């Protein structure tokens, strides 16, 4: 019986998961607001739209929700979700930085500076650092059986 419980952790209710995801997104947006404020105080231009609340809040919320959906699919369909996610999360984080780097290299947006681009990259790390522990609680993975 305890083996069965370890293999299939208790699932929070849908309401708990939804509330937890809303909270996760809110915390990530709040921390990203601090990152943006620090970037602006350090000289990042107000013209750099990606560091404006409407822009990063939308991307943060969508990022949290899309990643939660992917986590849930991997959790449900992978034979070894923990192992897959240990690889996939850092890879996706690194890949998510590529568009930011391209914005910095191309200098194609008003107010672009490497300080602003670095802040944007830090925001990606913030979302990951906030979301992954939340997913582990809200969408727990089955115990590994090696």
């Amino acid at each position: 019986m305890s083996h069965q419980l370890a293999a299939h952790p208790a699932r929070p209710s849908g309401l708990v998961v939804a509330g937890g995801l809303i909270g996760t997104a809110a915390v990530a947006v709040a921390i990203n607001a601090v990152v943006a404020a620090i970037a602006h105080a350090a000289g990042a231009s107000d013209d750099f739209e990606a560091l404006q609340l409407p822009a990063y809040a939308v991307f943060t919320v969508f990022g949290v929700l899309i990643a939660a959906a992917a986590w849930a699919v991997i959790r449900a369909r992978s034979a070894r979700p923990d192992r897959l996610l240990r690889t996939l999360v850092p890879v996706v984080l690194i890949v998510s930085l590529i568009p930011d780097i391209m914005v910095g290299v191309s200098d194609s947006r008003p107010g672009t500076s490497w300080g602003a681009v670095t802040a944007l990259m830090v925001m990606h790390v913030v979302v990951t650092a906030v979301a992954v522990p939340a997913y582990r609680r809200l969408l727990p993975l089955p115990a590994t059986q090696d």
Side-chain angles (χ1 to χ4, degrees), residues 14-133:
L15 189 57
V16 169
V17 172
L21 291 176
I22 290 167
T24 300
V27 168
V29 169
I31 297 172
N32 279 345
V34 172
V35 171
I38 291 169
H40 288 301
S45 174
D46 290 335
D47 294 335
F48 191 66
E49 285 185 39
L51 291 181
Q52 299 300 320
L53 179 63
Y56 66 77
V58 168
F59 283 113
T60 298
V61 170
F62 280 131
V64 166
L65 296 178
I66 290 167
W71 184 282
V73 168
I74 290 166
R75 172 183 178 239
R77 299 195 177 178
S78 174
R80 311 234 359 227
D82 194 43
R83 184 176 183 182
L84 177 59
L85 288 164
R86 268 196 310 267
T87 301
L88 196 56
V89 168
V91 168
V92 169
L93 174 60
I94 290 167
V95 168
S96 78
L97 301 177
I98 293 171
D100 298 341
I101 294 167
M102 297 308 294
V103 166
V105 169
S106 70
D107 196 21
S108 60
R109 297 185 184 221
T112 299
S113 67
W114 280 105
V117 169
T118 300
L120 213 52
M121 293 166 53
V122 168
M123 288 177 165
H124 288 242
V125 174
V126 164
V127 173
T128 303
V130 169
V132 169

